[in-house]
Amino acid sequence: MIRRYATTALLLLIAIHQIVLVYSAGLTRWRGGGFGMYSADHPAMRRVWVEFLPGSDAAPPGTAAGGRWRLPMGGEEYREFRRLEWAARTLPNHRNLMRIGDTLAGLPGLAGCAGLAVEVWGEEFDPETTTLERRLVDRLEVAGRGLPGAPCGSAG
Amino acid sequence: MTVAPNSLAGGAEAMAAEVLVPRLLVPVLLALVINLPGDRALVGFPVLTLLFATLLEPRLLGRATYWFLIAAALSIKILHEPYNCANHYYLLTYLAASLGLTLGAPTAGRSEILEANTRGLLCAVMGLATLHKLLSAPFRSGAYLYQAMLDGTMLRSFGFKVSQRYDELTAANRELARAFRDADPRAVESVRLLDFDPSLAGAAMVATTLVIGVEMLLLVLFALRPRARVSHWLLLGFLAGVFVSREENVFLATVAVLGVSMCPRSRGGEQLVYLGMILLLLAFSLLDILNPL
């Protein structure tokens, strides 16, 4: 019995876990062993944006102060973000957004950062008008490290 | 003079599934490894080492331990990036583990054990693919496939032309979509794609119904009649249909191996088509590497 059905049972257990994450954490249907490819938008269609919250006079190395940036930003110092960014596209949960926020908040150039928001954006296609429209998949606010009393990595 | 189809398949008529499937899986795994996008060392090195070991000792292919090691090597990537791992890694891992379970059993019952494993895997894959499509509102409404037709990501492989300017117009739509995705979402809220053929909306709805119907039918047929001729021809048709519309050669080759494992030895024609399909898929997989887009 085990020899005949063990692999199928394992596949189904992992697939159930994947479906739960699709609905609870925004996991893309394409990944995670649930065999949902070609049923919804691919993570390559998603983008991760970082918004520096009002009061920030700091900026990541090589960028202007304040404002908004799309990850991954250029430059060797952002190599780590490519991996983090892709992880957030596929599974935009609290943990993955927090890792981006914490890593950014820890950069030397962001010592005076009041806080930042990490956003994952997707899209929806309206077949009536053949229009692509924005869809905010998830957003997390992270307090900066530079402000006195601001707890590092607290979620808003 | 007539030539039996099986003799063309290299004596497949004399080969039990548990002997044929490991041999077919070797080139599929090789295609997987050489197609790896970035992390070759993580998965590529252990899998390649195991594959090269069979050159020195071909009998390894008949050992349960060998296939459990292959499954373990593949699962390194799954364990490393469980939510960023493509589904064919998972499927190949299950198939390798199935071979381990099969080859560890007494010889007499091996074919039945392998068939039970691959039948379960194929039915689960088709069932889950159908479930996801039914649960996904954009797919159900036809919007997903309509968008894929407008940006050319669905009908690209063999240059299906719904318009003489199809390539040019779909390229323009892809560029519009790319610029939209890269723009600040607070500044650019929407973009309209070129609607160059009004009939595509209807075609997308037909394709949506067809895809869900075929995948559901495959689930039912392989659950009830895994050895029937109709089941195998439908699976072969499905593989051919996906092949011309999407570049998923390693995944399709793995599904074809699942099909071979359930195809009775008496069905030489179907076996031969499966083998040809696997060869074609692997050849295209190699071409993808030589001619990246």
Side-chain angles (χ1 to χ4, degrees), chain B residues 167-181:
Chain B
D167 286 344
E168 182 188 333
L169 293 165
T170 53
N173 273 339
R174 284 197 297 279
E175 183 52 34
L176 280 171
R178 190 200 58 75
F180 168 70
R181 286 167 194 145

Side-chain angles (χ1 to χ4, degrees), chain A residues 3 7 17-18 23 29-31 33-34 37-40 47 68 70 86 119 123 129-130 132 134, chain B residues 83-84 87 101 117 132 135-136 147 180-184 186 188-193 246 248:
Chain A
R3 279 189 194 280
T7 52
H17 173 69
Q18 188 255 8
Y23 286 96
R29 292 182 187 274
W30 283 76
R31 294 287 194 262
M37 54 280 196
Y38 299 111
S39 63
R47 295 290 184 272
R68 298 166 52 78
R70 178 169 56 81
W86 187 259
E119 298 173 341
E123 67 192 31
T129 58
T130 66
L132 288 176
R134 301 282 186 192
Chain B
Y83 306 122
N84 187 29
N87 288 302
L101 291 168
N117 273 279
H132 272 287
L135 290 174
S136 166
Q147 183 186 351
F180 168 70
R181 286 167 194 145
D182 287 348
D184 186 341
R186 303 279 184 199
V188 183
E189 292 182 349
S190 65
V191 68
R192 185 165 188 179
L193 300 184
R246 296 287 190 186
E248 290 288 351

Side-chain angles (χ1 to χ4, degrees), chain A residues 42-112:
Chain A
H42 192 274
M45 296 174 176
R46 294 178 177 178
R47 295 290 184 272
V48 179
W49 281 79
V50 175
E51 180 182 340
F52 292 88
L53 298 178
S56 296
D57 58 357
T63 63
R68 298 166 52 78
W69 284 274
R70 178 169 56 81
L71 291 181
M73 292 179 273
E76 270 304 295
E77 61 269 41
Y78 297 116
R79 179 183 287 189
E80 170 68 6
F81 288 115
R82 288 176 202 141
R83 198 175 57 77
L84 295 177
E85 189 245 0
W86 187 259
R89 284 193 199 192
T90 54
L91 179 61
N93 62 357
H94 182 99
R95 181 170 168 267
N96 282 341
L97 299 191
M98 183 64 89
R99 283 167 71 195
I100 291 177
D102 274 349
T103 312
L104 265 176
L107 285 178
L110 291 174

Side-chain angles (χ1 to χ4, degrees), chain B residues 221-222 225-233 262 264 267 270:
Chain B
L221 281 175
F222 276 92
R225 302 184 66 198
R227 295 181 173 204
R229 194 178 292 268
V230 63
S231 307
H232 289 281
W233 280 112
M262 286 178 275
R267 301 221 189 286
E270 285 87 341

